Amino acid sequence: LAKTTQPISMDSYEGQEVNITCSHNNIATNDYITWYQQFPSQGPRFIIQGYKTKVTNEVASLFIPADRKSSTLSLPRVSLSDTAVYYCLVGDTWAGNNRKLIWGLGTSLAVNP
Amino acid sequence: EAGVTQFPSHSVIEKGQTVTLRCDPISGHDNLYWYRRVMGKEIKFLLHFVKESKQDESGMPNNRFLAERTGGTYSTLKVQPAELEDSGVYFCASSQEQGASGGNEQFFGPGTRLTVL
């Protein structure tokens, strides 16, 4: 399973767009890129997943360049409630029955008024 | 639809005692996972059930940890005897079967905070 590198922390202000980039140089052909969000005293929550190019849902967008060695989670117009830790995970979520998630320390995003 | 629930939310025990954590996955989810985060460290995988069978228990720290999932519904994680280094937050997650196009979104419970004194 590929290791990921992302910034430890980021600061932003309400209404701004936030982009969190994750590096995964050793991503394998079958690997997907998944982002989770975690609020204090809660379990992680799935945000978005992609394999290549761009994926968008009601919460965020995920940009993946052609070489797939990095990915960027984009949060449009953040609010105070988006303050959380964001995790980038890379792995083959359909590797037979081996679907464990490998976690890094994540990016702690602080949204200020 | 009810999410993943865990009980208790907090547990404080003394070294050498036994503690049992419970996880109720989302109804119909065959896959159940246990993870743990020790303070200041990454979330670490412990084990994975598919229905009642242990599919992957490579993350279990040692034989003081015993996980069960009787009948393929709820799961328990017992620590006996507990040691100081077992303190942390234990998360449970569940997921459905997914097609080969990817997926396997895991739904997490709120966690059980275990403190061993």
Side-chain angles (χ1 to χ4, degrees):
Chain A
L1 295 163
K3 180 181 176 182
T4 61
T5 302
Q6 51 183 125
I8 293 295
S9 64
M10 292 182 70
D11 277 282
S12 182
Y13 292 92
E14 285 187 288
Q16 288 188 332
E17 177 184 77
V18 171
N19 296 307
I20 305 174
T21 297
C22 178
S23 172
H24 29 81
N25 291 317
N26 297 320
I27 190 169
T29 303
N30 294 333
D31 286 345
Y32 280 76
I33 300 156
T34 310
W35 286 79
Y36 278 77
Q37 172 192 57
Q38 186 177 24
F39 298 112
S41 300
Q42 294 186 25
R45 182 177 74 104
F46 173 93
I47 302 176
I48 197 166
Q49 183 181 72
Y51 184 79
K52 60 181 179 181
T53 63
K54 176 184 175 182
V55 179
T56 297
N57 62 22
E58 65 278 6
V59 177
S61 293
L62 179 59
F63 299 91
I64 305 168
D67 66 6
R68 303 199 328 121
K69 293 185 182 298
S70 67
S71 60
T72 299
L73 175 73
S74 181
L75 304 172
R77 296 179 299 281
V78 294
S79 63
L80 297 177
S81 62
D82 292 316
T83 294
V85 179
Y86 293 82
Y87 296 95
C88 165
L89 299 100
V90 171
D92 184 351
T93 58
W94 187 250
N97 287 314
N98 181 14
R99 303 173 197 160
K100 62 187 176 187
L101 297 177
I102 306 298
W103 302 80
L105 289 173
T107 296
S108 179
L109 172 66
V111 179
N112 302 292
Chain B
E1 177 182 311
V4 176
T5 58
Q6 294 185 244
F7 181 84
S9 57
H10 294 82
S11 179
V12 181
I13 61 174
E14 293 188 351
K15 175 182 172 180
Q17 290 185 321
T18 298
V19 63
T20 300
L21 314 181
R22 173 171 171 144
C23 169
D24 286 79
I26 292 173
S27 177
H29 281 192
D30 288 338
N31 296 284
L32 187 149
Y33 309 80
W34 283 98
Y35 295 87
R36 176 177 74 173
R37 179 162 64 197
V38 173
M39 186 181 296
K41 300 286 186 66
E42 300 92 336
I43 297 172
K44 294 281 191 182
F45 166 83
L46 295 179
L47 88 160
H48 168 206
F49 283 100
V50 177
K51 297 185 181 178
E52 67 276 7
S53 300
K54 293 177 185 175
Q55 189 63 44
D56 180 358
E57 51 184 330
S58 61
M60 295 289 264
N62 49 60
N63 58 11
R64 295 186 293 103
F65 288 75
L66 175 64
E68 294 180 321
R69 191 182 182 194
T70 307
T73 55
Y74 70 92
S75 174
T76 58
L77 179 64
K78 183 194 300 188
V79 185
Q80 178 183 30
E83 298 289 344
L84 299 179
E85 63 264 26
D86 300 332
S87 295
V89 181
Y90 290 76
F91 292 105
C92 173
S94 70
S95 70
Q96 291 178 313
E97 284 291 321
Q98 293 286 347
S101 61
N104 188 36
E105 173 184 349
Q106 295 187 17
F107 296 84
F108 282 77
T112 293
R113 181 174 296 278
L114 174 64
T115 301
V116 182
L117 302 176

